[in-house]
Amino acid sequence: MNPTQACIRVHNWVLNVDDRRHRGGHGRSPSALLSGNQVLGMAKSNTTDAKALIRSLRSAYAATPISLKIIDLYVVYAITTAVIQVVYMGIVGSFPFNSFLSGVLSCVGTAVLAVCLRIQVNKENKEFKDLPPERAFADFVLCNLVLHLVIMNFLG
Amino acid sequence: MAASSETKGEGTLRKAFGGVLGFFILLLIGAFAFSIRLFSVIKYESVIHEFDPYFNYRVTQFLTKNGIYDFWNWFDDRTWYPLGRVIGGTVYPGLTLTAGSIWWLLNNLNIPLSVETVCVFTAPIFSANASWATYLLTKEVKGTGAGLTAAALLAMVPSYISRSVAGSYDNEAVAIFALIFTFYLYIKTLNTGSLFYATLNALSYFYMVCSWGGYTFIINLIPMHVLLCIVTGRYSPRLYIAYAPLVVLGTLLASLVPVVGFNAVMTSEHFASFLVFIIIHVVALVYYIKGILSPKMFKVAVTLVVTIGIAVCCAVLAILIALVASSPTKGWSGRSLSLLDPTYASKYIPIIASVSEHQPPTWPSYFMDINVLAFLVPAGIVACFLPLSDASSFMVLYITTSVYFSGVMVRLMLVLAPAACIMSGIALSEAFDVFTRSIKLQLPKLFESPSGSGDIDSTQDEVVKVDNKSATDKSETAPKERPSKKNRKKEREIVETTIKKPLNAKRLLVLPLEASSVAILLLIIFGAFYVVHCVWAAAEAYSAPSIVLTSHSHDGLHVFDDFREAYAWLRHNTDVDDKVASWWDYGYQTTAMANRTVIVDNNTWNNTHIATVGTAMSSPEKPAWEIFNSLDVKYVLVVFGGLVGYPSDDINKFLWMVRIGGGVFPHIREPDYLRDGQYRIDAHATPTMLNCLMYKLSYYRFVETDGKGFDRVRRTEIGKKHFKLTHFEEVFTTHHWMVRIYKLKSPKNRIRGKSKKSKSNSKTGPSNSKRHSNLRKNPW
C-alpha cells in the first residue's frame, strides 16, 4: 500500500465520509510511474492548496473574540519558554534534573491549564454554557497555585 | 395550583427523607466496616500482625519520637548490616505519615492514645472511609441506590478484610481508600468538567503515590480509558480537562515522593500516560480545527498534515523504540514485568517467586474472597452497557484489568475487590429496580379496592410530576415500603433516584408479580449468605495475628506465644549492638520487637546479601561460622515447628534458601540436598542435608524431647539424632521449641598439638592451604 492510499484511509476515518477523490494523478494506476508533468502538477496543486488552507485558517481564527486570543498568546508564550528550556538543557546538560523537570513541567502545566480555561470560557462550547466565567477563572487560579506550590518545592 | 404545590412539597419531603435515610445508612455502613475488622482484637489482643506491619510500626514510632525532618532523612543502621538502609528514600511514606498525623492530632486534643493503638486501628478507620468513597464513586456511575449497595458490599468483602483487619498495619490499608477516592474524583471531573475537581484528583493521586507501589495501576488505567474514549468517538472537552492537568500535576507530584523520584519520567510504567497526553492534544487540535474551518478546507488540511505527520511519527517512534529496546527489561521494573508476564519471576527473580502472596490464585480463592460477587459481576457489566456512559465504560475497563491482574497474583485480589463490589452493587440495584417496579405496578390489581387504587394512582401521578425525565415514567422514588422489610439491609434500595433513562419513551420491563416477589426473596437470601460468609471469613480466616498462634486441644485453647518470647529474650539478654542473623522473613519483627541489628529483612532489596545468609544456612558448620563471623554476627535465630506441628518453619523454607544462595554462589547446588528429587530429612537424606547448618540448628537435642526425634511437620523421624555442635552454642529455646537462638562460639585461643615450635611452622602451611582451598570452594 503506498503512502497516499494510507493517507486516504486515515482521511476517511477522520471525516466518516466515503471519499474517493484523489489529488493529482495518484490512485488511478498505483504501479505506473508518474511523469514529470504529473509530479509538477501535483506539487503545484499542493502549494496552492496549502496557501488556500493557511488563508482560510487565518480568516477563521481572526473571528475569535479577543479574550480567547489573549489566552492563546499566553499558551504560545508558555510553550516557547518550555522549548527554550529544553534547548538550554541540550546545550548545558541536565545536571540538576529536578530543576529542569520542574521548569519544563511548570511551563507545560500552565499551558495546559490555560487551554482548560479557554475551553471553559469559550462561548461556543455548549457544554459549559452554565458555567460563569468567574468560576472558571477561579478554578484556573487555584490550580495554578497548587501547580506552582509543587514547582517551588521541587525546584531545589 | 394548591394541589401541584402540595405534591411538590410532598416530593421535596420525600427527597429530604430519602437524603436523611441515606446519610444514616452510610453512617451505619461505616460503623459496620469498622467493627467487622475487630475480631482479632477481641479474640487475641490489640497487637500488630504479620511481618511487614512491624516495620511500618517501627517507622511510625521513629516519626512520632523524632519529628518529620529526621524521619525524612533517616538512615537506618540497624538493618542490612553492614549496608544499612536509607529509610527516607525507600519507604512509601503515606501510611506512616497518616498514622503519625492522627496520633499527633489526638495527642494535641489531649486524647493520649499510644502509637501502637493508633497503628492497630488505622486500617479499620480507613476501610470505613473506603466504603464511603465507593458510595461516592458508584453514585457518579449509576445513582444513589447502586452507591449504597456497593458501599455495603465493600464494607464486608473478605478480600479487603484480609488486608485491613485491626492490626494489619500495611500500605494497602490506606492505599485502597486512596485508589477508590482518586477514581471517584476522576469520574466526577469527567462528568462535570470542573477544573476544581481536576486539582483535587491530582492531589488524591499524590496521596496514592505516597501510599503504595500499586499507583502504577492508576497511571496506566486512566490513560487506557482516555484512549478508549477517543477511539470510540466519545472525545469531549471534559475528557481533556479530566486528563491533561492530571498528567502534568500528577507527574510532578509523583516525582516529589523520594521512592519514586525520577522514575516518574524515566520508567516505562509512566510512558503510557505521556503517550496518551500527546495523543489527546493531537485529537483536541483536530477537533478545534475541524470546528473553525469549512469542511472542504478541512479535508485539504487533513491530507497535507497526514502526509507530513506520518513521516514525523515514524521517525519519532523509531527513536523511541531504539531507546526503549536498549535497556534489557525494556525500561520496566522487575515487579511490573512479573505482573505482565506471570512466568517472569519464576525464571529470573526467585525472591519474588518465593513469596506465597505472589503465586497465582486458585479458583476456590475467588469464591472465598469475593463470594457472591463473582456471580453478580457479569450482570453488572451488562448493566453498565445500558446505557453506556464515560463513567460506566471506565468501570468496565477497571473490572477487566483487575480480573486479569488478580489472576496473576493472589495479592492483587485486593484490587479486584472494589471493582467487583461496584459492579455487583450496580447489578443488585438494577435487579431490585425491575422487581420492585413490577410488584408496585401489579399490586393494585391484586388489591382491587377503589380507595386503595385511588391512593396508589395519586402517588403514581405525583411521581410522574416530580420526575420529568421520560414520558412513560414509572420511576423509583416512589415509596418502597411495600416490599418486605425482612432484611433491614435491603431498605437501602428505597432511596433510589431516577436512573438516567433515554428520553425516548422506552417500554419498561415489568415481570409477573409472583416471579418478582420470589426473585426479591431469593436475592435477599443470596445477600444473607454473603453476609454470613463475610462475617465467618473475618472471624475465622483472616483475623489471625500470626505472631500469636492458637490451637484447640481436648483441654481447651492453647496459645503459642513463642515469637514474642524469643524477641523479648533477645531484647533483655544481649548487648544493644549485637547482630542477629536469621532468614529474611523475621527481620522486621526482630528490629521492631527485639531492637537488635539484623543482617537481612523483608525488604529484600539486596539479593546477594540474602544469598549470603542462605549459603551460610546451607553450608556445614565451619564455613557457616566463617560467613557469619565475617558479618560480625553474634546470634543466629531459627524457627522450628517440628515439636508442635507449625508448618511455616525454616526447614520447610530451606529449599528456597538453597535456591537463592545457589543463584549467587554456585557451589551450593540444589540436587545435593535432595534424595532422588525428594526433599527429606529422615535417615535417607543426603549427607549434605544432614550436615548443613539449618538441619543442625533445628534438630540439636531434638531427640531429647520424645526419645525418637519424630518431626510432626515432616511426619518422620529425623535422620541424624545424636550430634554435637562445634562452632555454635545454644543459648535459648522457647517453650514450644518454635524459636531457637544460638550464639557463635569464639575461636579457640590455642590449637591443641604436640609441640608448639614444629607445629607452628607446619601449622601455617596447612592452615594457609586450607584457607586457600576454602577460597577456592567458597569466597569466604
Side-chain angles (χ1 to χ4, degrees):
Chain A
M1 191 189 291
N2 67 35
T4 316
Q5 285 179 336
C7 298
I8 290 174
R9 287 221 168 181
V10 176
H11 186 158
N12 287 340
W13 173 78
V14 170
L15 297 179
N16 297 328
V17 161
D18 210 359
D19 191 0
R20 290 276 179 266
R21 281 184 286 125
H22 309 308
R23 292 268 141 242
H26 301 180
R28 281 193 212 119
S29 48
S31 55
L33 293 168
L34 297 169
S35 73
N37 277 339
Q38 277 180 326
V39 170
L40 208 58
M42 179 177 80
K44 248 192 235 163
S45 62
N46 269 352
T47 47
T48 48
D49 281 337
K51 282 196 195 131
L53 175 70
I54 292 177
R55 238 181 296 125
S56 65
L57 266 178
R58 212 177 259 171
S59 60
Y61 187 65
T64 58
I66 195 154
S67 55
L68 295 184
K69 279 196 194 154
I70 293 178
I71 298 180
D72 290 340
L73 196 63
Y74 179 68
V75 171
V76 168
Y77 158 69
I79 300 286
T80 330
T81 318
V83 169
I84 292 176
Q85 287 187 25
V86 172
V87 168
Y88 179 71
M89 189 271 293
I91 297 175
V92 172
S94 72
F95 164 56
F97 192 57
N98 54 329
S99 316
F100 165 66
L101 257 189
S102 67
V104 171
L105 283 178
S106 79
C107 295
V108 174
T110 64
V112 163
L113 291 177
V115 172
C116 291
L117 177 67
R118 186 188 201 278
I119 290 175
Q120 289 184 328
V121 162
N122 198 355
K123 298 211 180 22
E124 292 169 16
N125 262 330
K126 295 293 170 291
E127 290 178 8
F128 291 103
K129 59 177 163 54
D130 298 329
L131 189 69
E134 290 80 14
R135 168 74 198 265
F137 188 66
D139 285 342
F140 170 71
V141 168
L142 174 73
C143 209
N144 262 320
L145 269 176
V146 171
L147 175 72
H148 286 96
L149 187 68
V150 176
I151 296 287
M152 299 288 274
N153 196 356
F154 196 48
L155 203 55
Chain B
M1 280 306 283
S4 66
S5 66
E6 194 182 283
T7 48
K8 218 186 288 188
E10 278 190 36
T12 47
L13 182 67
R14 193 169 291 132
K15 275 215 169 83
F17 177 66
V20 171
L21 195 62
F23 175 72
F24 277 113
I25 290 174
L26 274 179
L27 216 58
L28 275 178
I29 290 177
F32 181 52
F34 184 84
S35 29
I36 200 178
R37 288 162 167 79
L38 296 184
F39 276 104
S40 62
V41 173
I42 297 171
K43 286 166 75 170
Y44 301 90
E45 60 182 289
S46 159
V47 74
I48 308 240
H49 297 191
E50 300 269 328
F51 303 109
D52 280 0
Y54 272 100
F55 171 69
N56 295 323
Y57 171 55
R58 181 167 161 252
V59 175
T60 317
Q61 268 183 320
F62 186 88
L63 170 69
T64 52
K65 213 182 309 180
N66 301 52
I68 189 164
Y69 284 106
D70 282 343
F71 162 72
W72 209 248
N73 298 320
W74 186 18
F75 179 81
D76 188 18
D77 56 351
R78 310 278 297 177
T79 175
W80 292 94
Y81 186 84
L83 305 167
R85 177 184 171 185
V86 181
I87 298 276
T90 55
V91 83
Y92 279 100
L95 175 71
T96 45
L97 288 177
T98 309
S101 14
I102 294 178
W103 176 87
W104 177 83
L105 186 69
L106 289 176
N107 265 315
N108 278 358
L109 291 174
N110 277 329
I111 306 175
L113 287 181
S114 73
V115 180
E116 181 173 17
T117 316
V118 172
C119 290
V120 164
F121 288 102
T122 301
I125 293 176
F126 273 86
S127 64
N129 292 344
S131 16
W132 294 333
T134 314
Y135 162 72
L136 289 171
L137 175 55
T138 322
K139 189 165 80 117
E140 285 298 315
V141 178
K142 267 296 178 182
T144 327
L148 288 170
T149 322
L153 291 175
L154 186 85
M156 304 188 258
V157 65
S159 125
Y160 185 33
I161 290 183
S162 70
R163 305 287 303 194
S164 67
V165 283
S168 172
Y169 180 57
D170 208 352
N171 286 337
E172 287 92 349
V174 296
I176 296 295
F177 161 67
L179 181 85
I180 303 176
F181 198 58
T182 309
F183 284 153
Y184 157 64
L185 286 172
Y186 172 65
I187 297 291
K188 183 97 183 163
T189 317
L190 199 53
N191 281 343
T192 58
S194 150
L195 200 54
F196 173 64
Y197 282 109
T199 319
L200 287 182
N201 187 18
L203 289 175
S204 169
Y205 171 67
F206 174 51
Y207 184 53
M208 178 72 190
V209 174
C210 285
S211 310
W212 197 31
Y215 74 91
T216 48
F217 182 62
I218 296 187
I219 201 63
N220 282 306
L221 185 65
I222 292 186
M224 234 193 285
H225 176 244
V226 170
L227 206 56
L228 180 73
C229 282
I230 291 176
V231 165
T232 54
R234 289 180 156 279
Y235 171 78
S236 68
R238 289 173 289 117
L239 190 69
Y240 181 84
I241 296 180
Y243 183 64
L246 173 70
V247 170
V248 179
L249 259 179
T251 312
L252 267 173
L253 287 167
S255 333
L256 272 185
V257 182
V259 178
V260 178
F262 296 144
N263 286 346
V265 290
M266 303 220 289
T267 51
S268 296
E269 281 116 0
H270 290 87
F271 282 169
S273 56
F274 300 141
L275 190 66
V276 177
F277 186 64
I278 296 175
I279 291 179
I280 201 176
H281 275 96
V282 170
V283 171
L285 200 63
V286 166
Y287 271 83
Y288 173 66
I289 292 189
K290 187 164 162 187
I292 63 172
L293 281 184
S294 68
K296 181 167 104 58
M297 285 277 88
F298 183 59
K299 284 180 198 169
V300 171
V302 165
T303 334
L304 269 177
V305 165
V306 165
T307 29
I308 307 171
I310 285 192
V312 171
C313 263
C314 292
V316 167
L317 215 62
I319 297 176
L320 199 67
I321 289 179
L323 269 176
V324 164
S326 59
S327 86
T329 58
K330 315 279 180 290
W332 291 88
S333 76
R335 283 193 172 219
S336 311
L337 268 177
S338 65
L339 281 182
L340 292 176
D341 173 15
T343 56
Y344 182 79
S346 49
K347 280 187 268 178
Y348 298 106
I349 318 176
I351 284 191
I352 293 185
S354 72
V355 181
S356 67
E357 294 180 315
H358 292 179
Q359 306 304 322
T362 54
W363 283 112
S365 66
Y366 275 96
F367 193 69
M368 170 76 170
D369 274 350
I370 56 174
N371 209 34
V372 150
L373 308 183
F375 306 121
L376 289 175
V377 161
I381 295 180
V382 172
C384 274
F385 279 95
L386 319 161
L388 186 67
S389 65
D390 291 339
S392 53
S393 68
F394 177 75
M395 281 318 305
V396 172
L397 199 61
Y398 178 23
I399 184 101
T400 332
T401 45
S402 54
V403 165
Y404 170 71
F405 285 123
S406 74
V408 176
M409 263 194 202
V410 170
R411 188 175 179 184
L412 296 179
M413 294 274 300
L414 183 61
V415 177
L416 173 64
C421 290
I422 293 172
M423 283 305 185
S424 321
I426 292 175
L428 267 181
S429 91
E430 293 285 319
F432 262 85
D433 244 13
V434 173
F435 295 139
T436 50
R437 188 195 312 146
S438 321
I439 290 182
K440 192 188 82 160
L441 289 181
Q442 297 183 44
L443 217 47
K445 295 184 210 143
L446 201 61
F447 284 140
E448 289 284 43
S449 66
S451 57
S453 60
D455 268 350
I456 293 155
D457 280 326
S458 63
T459 52
Q460 276 184 342
D461 286 347
E462 138 190 16
V463 160
V464 169
K465 280 194 193 85
V466 165
D467 320 292
N468 40 357
K469 284 271 173 153
S470 67
T472 62
D473 194 17
K474 297 188 170 53
S475 63
E476 286 69 37
T477 53
K480 291 227 182 46
E481 289 94 11
R482 258 175 239 123
S484 61
K485 285 191 178 182
K486 274 183 213 158
N487 192 346
R488 199 175 177 267
K489 175 174 91 77
K490 292 306 163 196
E491 278 185 350
R492 281 172 211 117
E493 269 59 62
I494 293 176
V495 276
E496 260 185 59
T497 54
T498 51
I499 314 295
K500 297 173 181 57
K501 295 192 187 64
L503 280 172
N504 51 338
K506 199 171 69 161
R507 274 191 60 123
L508 295 168
L509 182 64
V510 173
L511 297 172
L513 179 68
E514 302 79 15
S516 28
S517 37
V518 167
I520 285 195
L521 208 63
L522 285 180
L523 275 183
I524 292 176
I525 296 178
F526 208 39
F529 277 138
Y530 175 67
V531 176
V532 165
H533 171 85
C534 293
V535 175
W536 169 84
E540 298 298 325
Y542 292 134
S543 285
S546 81
I547 190 155
V548 175
L549 306 161
T550 57
S551 78
H552 294 271
S553 55
H554 54 92
D555 48 347
L557 191 68
H558 218 76
V559 175
F560 299 90
D561 209 1
D562 287 43
F563 286 102
R564 294 197 288 178
E565 188 185 342
Y567 298 130
W569 185 92
L570 270 179
R571 194 187 191 110
H572 292 125
N573 293 300
T574 59
D575 290 331
V576 176
D577 284 330
D578 284 342
K579 328 281 186 267
V580 179
S582 67
W583 191 232
W584 59 262
D585 286 358
Y586 315 107
Y588 281 157
Q589 286 182 342
T590 314
T591 33
M593 282 196 269
N595 199 22
R596 295 288 172 266
T597 312
V598 290
I599 306 292
V600 286
D601 69 12
N602 307 58
N603 190 29
T604 64
W605 65 270
N606 191 332
N607 195 33
T608 314
H609 222 50
I610 296 181
T612 312
V613 174
T615 311
M617 295 294 194
S618 326
S619 317
E621 254 188 280
K622 185 146 184 3
W625 183 93
E626 298 195 347
I627 296 178
F628 282 140
N629 199 31
S630 75
L631 288 171
D632 291 345
V633 172
K634 201 75 170 303
Y635 295 92
V636 179
L637 184 148
V638 295
V639 171
F640 170 61
L643 184 65
V644 292
Y646 173 62
S648 329
D649 63 351
D650 280 355
I651 288 284
N652 270 358
K653 294 179 195 168
F654 180 60
L655 274 186
W656 282 109
M657 299 187 199
V658 171
R659 281 178 201 142
I660 296 176
V664 180
F665 300 102
H667 66 274
I668 304 283
R669 285 174 294 269
E670 189 181 343
D672 288 347
Y673 298 84
L674 305 172
R675 169 76 68 190
D676 302 329
Q678 255 199 358
Y679 177 55
R680 22 189 347 159
I681 44 94
D682 52 10
H684 296 285
T686 59
T688 332
M689 181 72 215
L690 292 177
N691 278 321
C692 74
L693 186 70
M694 181 52 71
Y695 179 92
K696 287 198 168 169
L697 294 188
S698 296
Y699 293 116
Y700 179 60
R701 290 192 315 113
F702 184 52
V703 68
E704 292 171 18
T705 55
D706 60 349
K708 284 184 291 159
F710 183 74
D711 183 342
R712 289 225 179 117
V713 179
R714 266 64 58 178
R715 301 202 166 274
T716 63
E717 289 185 11
I718 58 178
K720 195 149 82 167
K721 300 189 187 179
H722 303 274
F723 56 89
K724 283 204 186 344
L725 293 175
T726 51
H727 289 78
F728 294 84
E729 59 175 326
E730 181 185 4
V731 284
F732 185 67
T733 299
T734 57
H735 184 101
H736 299 103
W737 285 57
M738 276 174 59
V739 184
R740 312 193 65 183
I741 305 181
Y742 294 84
K743 184 171 175 174
L744 262 69
K745 278 193 190 161
S746 35
K748 294 209 187 90
N749 279 331
R750 297 188 311 159
I751 300 189
R752 254 191 283 171
K754 288 196 185 142
S755 87
K756 279 192 214 156
K757 267 200 190 139
S758 60
K759 270 292 173 187
S760 63
N761 286 337
S762 50
K763 235 192 306 162
T764 50
S767 62
N768 265 334
S769 64
K770 210 196 288 188
R771 231 180 283 132
H772 283 307
S773 69
N774 271 348
L775 274 171
R776 255 184 278 122
K777 242 180 44 182
N778 75 49
W780 309 98

